[in-house]
Amino acid sequence: MGEFMVIKICFLLLGILFIHSIYFTLTGLFVFFKNKTKFGNYAPKTKFAVLVAARNEGNVIGNLVDSLMKQNYPKELYDVYTLVNNSTDDTLDKAKSAGSKIIEVDEPTKTKGEVLSYGFRKLKDSDYDAYIVFDADNVVDKDFLKTMNNIYASGYKIAQGRRDSLNSTDNWISSSYSIFYYIQNLFYNYARTKFSWNATINGTGFMADKKFVEDYYHPCTITEDIELALIATLQQERVVYTEEAITYDEQPTNFKVSWIQRVRWSKGIMDCTKHYSKDLLKQFIKTRKLTYLDKVLFLTIPHVQVLSFILTFILAIAIIIELGFSSLLWQFILSSFMLFGLVIGILFNAFILKYYDDKVLGNWHGILLFGLFVVSWIPINIVCFFKKSVTWKPIEHGKNKKKVA
């Protein structure tokens, strides 16, 4: 009887947490609604400072700067700055020879946010209208700045571009990263932009108004990108997403590297929860605008994932105790549930890759193992619950980067 009560309580709590998943499923469908956010076509007039934080990125920085120097945008309206962060390799020389201006970060830094803040301070008295930020391992579509000019001229001061992949087919890890970003692009960022809610910022290929940065953006966590979206939401500034400004990113292919990177993400989100969720909830209660609540629910994803795992584990043990290992009903329910989830996941992964014209067959490993990639976030999130802090560690990149025409 006691085990049966545990089963009922776990089912009830899991049902409540399941609403969280249903919420993101339903709001993701906004992407199929009529677009309420319009961008016009304008003559080039926005002056950009393009910033790249780089520590020991000599292997890849040249390709990025080269793609930026070939932008379909007037050269007099943008400058590329490489923020050389205490490098010990030839990052500075490679960036400079490719055409970048150099800002040497000559003070200790613990996060990418601190490096960017250093660059913002150095450029405070400049006449740029907006900043655009990239990671050193990126290659950028030639119309990126042109698209961001249209967005800025349309009145939107903060924007995230589409994050695509250079190496999705390398192995199951890089393929899973690609699927992850495609899902975020389409069913989170694009869906919310269409519905006039705020998108989020996801690390690279984003624009921020210079004055907004100077007045409000002072990142204090290891996920400075998510902070920008949260601060903008609290300041009632729209964060929009565009499919047209494309950044091609090199994805990790090593699970240890992936683990380190995702620990940083999860811990950063948890820190953002502590710093910003209270104010977001206050604004939601005050204004009844769902975009505030949406950001709170976004921040709770790691917590919900861990709680769901714990409750599912307890429920499984309770059912086994109550019904026994040999229960045909239990075996049938479990097998059917797992098979259904596997088939739906495979079909969905293939769909998202096809939507973005990525190679479905070349990504077969990601299509089959993306679920494992998601599940591996559970121990990562559990570890982050007990970590007081996470050290920012640069991700090493390969030499053989593909270029985008």
Side-chain angles (χ1 to χ4, degrees):
M1 189 67 180
E3 290 82 5
F4 187 67
M5 181 60 69
V6 171
I7 292 173
K8 291 202 298 184
I9 293 173
C10 286
F11 266 122
L12 176 62
L13 294 175
L14 278 172
I16 294 172
L17 294 178
F18 183 66
I19 295 173
H20 188 271
S21 298
I22 292 297
Y23 168 81
F24 283 102
T25 300
L26 293 177
T27 53
L29 297 178
F30 290 168
V31 76
F32 301 112
F33 288 22
K34 183 178 179 181
N35 194 349
K36 296 182 179 180
T37 304
K38 302 294 185 181
F39 309 134
N41 289 310
Y42 295 89
K45 58 181 179 180
T46 311
K47 190 171 184 180
F48 295 113
V50 181
L51 305 185
V52 183
R55 178 191 292 174
N56 295 334
E57 299 284 10
N59 286 342
V60 294
I61 190 67
N63 284 337
L64 169 62
V65 176
D66 182 65
S67 70
L68 290 171
M69 301 310 293
K70 294 178 180 177
Q71 287 290 295
N72 184 19
Y73 199 71
K75 293 294 186 291
E76 65 273 14
L77 288 179
Y78 74 97
D79 292 299
V80 179
Y81 292 89
T82 300
L83 310 179
V84 182
N85 176 27
N86 300 288
S87 289
T88 57
D89 71 350
D90 58 353
T91 295
L92 190 153
D93 293 335
K94 290 285 184 66
K96 191 172 183 179
S97 63
S100 174
K101 296 184 178 181
I102 303 296
I103 295 177
E104 291 193 66
V105 181
D106 56 5
E107 62 186 30
T109 57
K110 295 181 179 179
T111 66
K112 178 182 171 183
E114 291 181 2
V115 177
L116 291 175
S117 294
Y118 185 95
F120 297 149
R121 292 196 301 271
K122 288 293 184 179
L123 297 173
K124 183 177 181 180
D125 295 327
S126 63
D127 62 347
Y128 298 108
D129 298 305
Y131 296 115
I132 291 182
V133 176
F134 293 106
D135 288 340
D137 62 306
N138 298 159
V139 177
V140 184
D141 182 82
K142 63 182 180 180
D143 288 328
F144 191 100
L145 296 184
K146 178 181 177 182
T147 301
M148 286 300 181
N149 170 73
N150 288 335
I151 292 174
Y152 192 87
S154 296
Y156 301 101
K157 306 302 182 183
I158 302 175
Q160 173 67 54
R162 170 178 149 193
R163 194 164 181 174
D164 212 313
S165 295
L166 282 166
N167 61 328
S168 66
T169 59
D170 279 4
N171 64 12
W172 75 275
I173 298 172
S174 62
S175 181
S176 294
Y177 267 92
S178 301
I179 293 170
F180 170 77
Y181 283 124
Y182 292 158
I183 292 171
Q184 187 177 53
N185 287 342
L186 189 63
F187 292 106
Y188 188 86
N189 280 335
Y190 199 20
R192 277 148 183 76
T193 295
K194 278 194 168 186
F195 207 64
S196 295
W197 287 5
N198 269 10
T200 194
I201 302 297
N202 59 2
T204 187
F206 65 88
M207 173 186 70
D209 175 70
K210 181 174 179 288
K211 189 175 187 308
F212 179 90
V213 166
E214 291 169 358
D215 290 346
Y216 302 110
Y217 184 47
H218 309 291
C220 58
T221 76
I222 206 164
T223 45
E224 76 293 328
D225 50 347
I226 293 173
E227 273 194 87
L228 176 58
L230 299 176
I231 293 169
T233 301
L234 287 170
Q235 295 300 325
Q236 301 182 49
E237 189 71 55
R238 281 292 307 278
V239 180
V240 297
Y241 167 82
T242 175
E243 290 268 87
E244 307 304 318
I246 308 172
T247 303
Y248 297 90
D249 193 20
E250 182 188 356
Q251 309 303 344
T253 57
N254 178 281
F255 188 79
K256 182 180 179 180
V257 172
S258 172
W259 178 281
I260 292 171
Q261 186 182 63
R262 289 186 288 154
V263 163
R264 185 176 75 232
W265 293 351
S266 291
K267 182 58 180 174
I269 290 176
M270 291 178 186
D271 289 343
C272 282
T273 304
K274 295 177 185 178
H275 282 91
Y276 298 103
S277 58
K278 184 177 180 181
D279 289 337
L280 288 165
L281 282 172
K282 283 182 179 179
Q283 283 298 104
F284 169 65
I285 293 170
K286 180 180 178 180
T287 65
R288 296 294 190 273
K289 292 183 178 180
L290 290 175
T291 192
Y292 295 109
L293 180 61
D294 182 66
K295 286 292 172 282
V296 174
L297 294 175
F298 173 81
L299 291 174
T300 61
I301 289 175
H303 307 79
V304 170
Q305 189 183 49
V306 172
L307 287 173
S308 297
F309 168 75
I310 293 172
L311 287 170
T312 301
F313 179 77
I314 295 172
L315 179 61
I317 297 299
I319 289 176
I320 289 172
I321 293 173
E322 182 73 19
L323 301 178
F325 281 104
S326 60
S327 170
L328 292 177
L329 176 62
W330 165 241
Q331 293 175 11
F332 175 77
I333 291 174
L334 180 60
S335 301
S336 299
F337 181 78
M338 292 178 65
L339 181 61
F340 177 77
L342 180 63
V343 171
I344 293 299
I346 288 173
L347 292 175
F348 178 79
N349 297 338
F351 161 78
I352 199 74
L353 286 163
K354 185 67 175 177
Y355 181 89
Y356 280 110
D357 293 324
D358 210 333
K359 298 176 182 178
V360 175
L361 291 179
N363 283 280
W364 64 269
H365 28 43
I367 291 173
L368 294 178
L369 297 176
F370 180 68
L372 177 61
F373 179 77
V374 174
V375 170
S376 69
W377 238 302
I378 294 172
I380 287 172
N381 290 331
I382 292 174
V383 166
C384 289
F385 275 125
F386 300 99
K387 274 186 172 287
K388 291 184 178 180
S389 62
V390 173
T391 302
W392 176 54
K393 298 179 181 179
I395 302 299
E396 184 177 347
H397 300 111
K399 295 181 179 180
N400 297 319
K401 292 288 296 297
K402 293 176 284 186
K403 293 189 178 183
V404 177

